């Protein structure tokens, strides 16, 4: 699950085309980065869920609302579960911290753009208000906290090694 997959401009070009934009016209392109398969699956499930919401007609706006909120809940669940399940590993292994950082930035980007991609096809009243931009900031905050915690853990480890080395050198003389 923590194996990285490349995500970035190629995939974004497809998303921009789906939204009716030329890839070079979109200012919302995410730079190429490596994300976990979990983050890719969450993004894919969000897109599938919102696509299902667009298939609901105006007479079934309640079902569309359920799909819309389910999609939003996917991002919240990622934010709640992944750091809890992998917290110690993420703090201790810098590569995992970097992957979680990328995952959070990637999903924040998805949160910022997904409403634009689907809103016009959603039934009213969702077509006027559906977005996930409010979920981007908590994901970015998690990304920042992840790196800070990892850096602190790495600093503490280095200081611990230095203290042991100094004490070992002091007892040897």
């Amino acid at each position: 699950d923590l194996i990285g997959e490349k995500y970035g401009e190629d995939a974004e070009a497809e998303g921009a085309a789906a939204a009716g934009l030329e890839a070079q016209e979109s200012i919302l392109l995410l730079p190429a980065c490596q994300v976990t398969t979990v983050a890719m699956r969450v993004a894919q499930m969000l897109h599938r869920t919102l696509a299902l919401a667009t298939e609901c007609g105006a007479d079934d706006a309640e079902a569309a609302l359920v799909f819309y909120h389910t999609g939003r809940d996917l991002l919240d669940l990622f934010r709640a579960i992944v750091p809890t399940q992998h917290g110690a590993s993420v703090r201790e292994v810098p590569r995992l911290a970097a992957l979680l950082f990328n995952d959070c930035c990637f999903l924040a980007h998805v949160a910022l753009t997904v409403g634009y991609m689907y809103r016009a096809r959603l039934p009213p009243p969702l077509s006027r208000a559906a977005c996930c931009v409010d979920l981007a900031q908590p994901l970015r905050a998690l990304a920042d906290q992840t790196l800070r915690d990892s850096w602190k853990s790495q600093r503490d480890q280095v200081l611990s090694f230095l203290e042991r080395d100094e004490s070992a050198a002091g007892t040897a003389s």
Side-chain angles (χ1 to χ4, degrees):
D1 284 343
L2 295 177
I3 297 171
E5 292 186 15
K6 186 175 179 186
Y7 182 84
E9 294 173 1
D10 293 339
E12 279 297 305
E14 292 174 17
L21 300 171
E22 293 295 322
Q24 60 269 33
E25 292 176 352
S26 178
I27 60 170
L28 302 176
L29 292 178
L30 179 70
C33 64
Q34 193 169 17
V35 297
T36 64
T37 54
V38 171
M40 290 295 291
R41 286 182 191 144
V42 168
Q44 289 167 351
M45 285 190 292
L46 175 61
H47 281 286
R48 281 196 299 258
T49 304
L50 291 178
L52 287 172
T54 64
E55 294 173 10
C56 297
D59 57 331
D60 206 7
E62 189 172 324
L65 187 63
V66 169
F67 283 126
Y68 166 70
H69 283 291
T70 300
R72 290 176 53 85
D73 289 345
L74 289 168
L75 294 175
D76 279 334
L77 285 170
F78 175 88
R79 195 168 49 92
I81 293 172
V82 171
T84 303
Q85 184 166 354
H86 300 289
S89 301
V90 167
R91 278 189 300 281
E92 302 300 323
V93 182
R95 183 176 188 279
L96 295 180
L99 279 172
L100 182 54
F101 175 86
N102 285 353
D103 286 355
C104 291
C105 290
F106 165 67
L107 291 174
H109 174 78
V110 169
L112 289 171
T113 57
V114 76
Y116 178 75
M117 294 172 72
Y118 292 96
R119 185 177 4 202
R121 295 182 284 153
L122 290 169
L126 276 177
S127 60
R128 292 187 298 270
C131 70
C132 295
V133 295
D134 58 313
L135 300 174
Q137 181 54 37
L139 286 162
R140 287 182 175 162
L142 175 59
D144 292 343
Q145 188 63 45
T146 297
L147 282 187
R148 276 195 298 274
D149 290 348
S150 177
W151 293 337
K152 183 181 183 305
S153 175
Q154 296 303 305
R155 183 196 68 206
D156 292 348
Q157 285 181 7
V158 169
L159 290 175
S160 173
F161 293 145
L162 290 175
E163 287 172 3
R164 279 191 232 147
D165 189 48
E166 288 174 4
S167 66
T171 59
S173 35

